[in-house]
Amino acid sequence: MYVKRDKEHIVVKLEKNEDLVEKLTQLAQEENIKAGMIVSGIGMLRDPEIGYYTGTGYEQKKLEGVYELVSITGYLQETTPRVHIHISIADKNNKVYGGHLLSGKCDPYAIIAVISYEKLSFKRVYVEKAKRMETEVYEI
Amino acid sequence: MYVKRDKEHIVVKLEKNEDLVEKLTQLAQEENIKAGMIVSGIGMLRDPEIGYYTGTGYEQKKLEGVYELVSITGYLQETTPRVHIHISIADKNNKVYGGHLLSGKCDPYAIIAVISYEKLSFKRVYVEKAKRMETEVYEI
Amino acid sequence: MYVKRDKEHIVVKLEKNEDLVEKLTQLAQEENIKAGMIVSGIGMLRDPEIGYYTGTGYEQKKLEGVYELVSITGYLQETTPRVHIHISIADKNNKVYGGHLLSGKCDPYAIIAVISYEKLSFKRVYVEKAKRMETEVYEI
């Protein structure tokens, strides 16, 4: 992975066999991103593990093979877990699968764009009203 | 829903049971957004109603249950309807459905990012060449 | 197609029968875009040709009919091919198909948003480490 910046905009290239979740976590840490949204991303993913949130945890499934990454959305935050990513992917028959991304290796590569907000912070905290951990958005 | 801003960037958090279409309509009204694009969004939606445009209206279907929001795209404009939103969503088997979003409640929540352009205006107007109402983009 | 700008943000409207790949290629050329990411897009596409990259070329398929464009992602670059676009689209039953976009006509229209980075350049070049042509990201 390498990282290029232009003002609040960050573009990263992920190379073959790099895990998309691991590398965007590393991006959040190394670039000290307090609040970032993934605004675009293209490439291919091999053997992605995708989850569905049941209210208590993720029902997860490994999809074997290499898929076109057709959408990626989510955020980078100040607290652990540093990333929250949803994707949709297409197989060779153009059939689309999607959900919460748990892991997936780039193959051959991916280019992802993030907006890193200077004046915002995303943090996972306990929300009294919801009685659960959620990500909240703060102005800093 | 609450709204946070950093320059032209707007991030909103929608809470449980808030309707995504209603709340983004309210966002456009209360923040006086003349032209905004939805650039990212993540969360889950319950019982979304999704449409397919036939040329004269929407063929609509209610999908029961709770779905991972895997992509959201569209715009906020100055005229009614204040929003135009397309989504794709995934069920617990990672199967993906998509189309024009008519309604859908956040469950447990969603975080949506918008770029609000200062120098542009989107308006739904009658377009002589197309002989129909369409959204047009203006510099202001 | 017409083009409107606000700082680094570009919004284009594509009219009926305009090909999405051709027109975004023209956008990259005429606006002299060195590096741009497609951050949002909405509309409908007729008879899209969608590909799956096999490692040596694209397995391609033409999907007949008119589809809701539910996600679009990718980039505009300085070298040929000027665009790289992945999409997902939904049919009247809300079924979603996706992949690398080879061609597709807007019907009735589409609105696409791009961020054009002033200080970055995307170029397709031979990458020694990967032993293949890839898009690389440069600071300029």
Side-chain angles (χ1 to χ4, degrees), chain A residues 8-9 37-39 50-53 58-59 61 71 73-75 84-88 96-100 115 117-120 122 124 127 129 132 134-139, chain B residues 2-13 15 39-44 65-72 88 90-96 108-109 111-115:
Chain A
E8 71 265 43
H9 306 293
M37 291 295 295
I38 301 167
V39 293
I50 294 182
Y52 172 87
Y53 185 67
Y58 287 99
E59 233 172 74
K61 199 180 300 177
S71 74
T73 187
Y75 52 82
H84 184 191
I85 305 169
H86 286 186
I87 59 157
S88 62
V96 175
Y97 309 83
H100 176 100
I115 297 176
Y117 307 111
E118 283 169 47
K119 294 182 186 161
L120 301 181
F122 297 162
R124 190 167 170 79
V127 177
K129 193 177 161 190
R132 54 192 302 281
E134 292 191 353
T135 290
E136 289 273 62
V137 185
Y138 303 91
E139 282 174 359
Chain B
Y2 62 78
V3 180
K4 303 289 181 184
R5 298 191 73 133
D6 180 6
K7 297 188 297 176
E8 70 266 44
H9 305 294
I10 297 176
V11 176
V12 296
K13 181 171 176 185
E15 290 162 14
V39 293
S40 194
I42 190 167
M44 296 187 88
V66 180
Y67 298 83
E68 297 276 359
L69 177 65
V70 295
S71 75
I72 178 167
S88 63
D91 69 14
K92 65 180 177 181
N93 297 311
N94 310 125
K95 188 176 172 187
V96 175
Y109 67 100
I111 291 175
I112 311 289
V114 171
I115 296 176

Side-chain angles (χ1 to χ4, degrees), chain A residues 70-101:
Chain A
V70 295
S71 74
I72 179 167
T73 187
Y75 52 82
L76 284 64
Q77 64 185 351
E78 206 172 341
T79 55
T80 304
R82 294 298 292 260
V83 300
H84 184 191
I85 305 169
H86 286 186
I87 59 157
S88 62
I89 54 174
D91 69 14
K92 66 178 176 181
N93 298 311
N94 311 124
K95 188 176 172 186
V96 175
Y97 309 83
H100 176 100
L101 185 65

Side-chain angles (χ1 to χ4, degrees), chain C residues 8-129:
Chain C
E8 71 265 43
H9 306 293
I10 297 175
V11 176
V12 298
K13 181 171 176 186
L14 305 186
E15 289 162 15
K16 189 162 178 169
N17 296 324
E18 289 184 331
D19 184 87
L20 188 52
V21 176
E22 271 177 33
K23 287 294 164 179
L24 292 184
T25 298
Q26 184 185 326
L27 174 73
Q29 290 164 342
E30 292 183 357
E31 296 287 315
N32 194 25
I33 294 173
K34 291 185 170 50
M37 291 294 297
I38 300 167
V39 293
S40 194
I42 190 166
M44 296 186 88
L45 281 186
R46 197 179 67 242
D47 300 341
E49 278 184 297
I50 295 182
Y52 172 86
Y53 185 68
T54 61
T56 50
Y58 287 98
E59 236 171 72
Q60 55 194 83
K61 198 180 302 177
K62 189 168 197 161
L63 299 178
E64 307 220 329
V66 181
Y67 298 83
E68 297 276 1
L69 177 65
V70 294
S71 75
I72 178 167
T73 187
Y75 52 81
L76 284 64
Q77 66 185 349
E78 206 173 342
T79 55
T80 303
R82 293 297 292 259
V83 299
H84 184 191
I85 304 169
H86 287 185
I87 58 156
S88 62
I89 54 174
D91 69 15
K92 66 178 176 182
N93 298 311
N94 311 124
K95 189 176 171 187
V96 175
Y97 309 83
H100 177 100
L101 185 66
L102 294 154
S103 73
K105 305 250 180 251
C106 297
D107 187 358
Y109 68 100
I111 291 175
I112 312 289
V114 171
I115 296 175
S116 174
Y117 307 111
E118 284 169 47
K119 295 182 184 161
L120 301 181
S121 167
F122 297 162
K123 286 185 191 171
R124 190 167 170 80
V125 296
Y126 184 78
V127 176
E128 186 58 45
K129 192 177 161 190

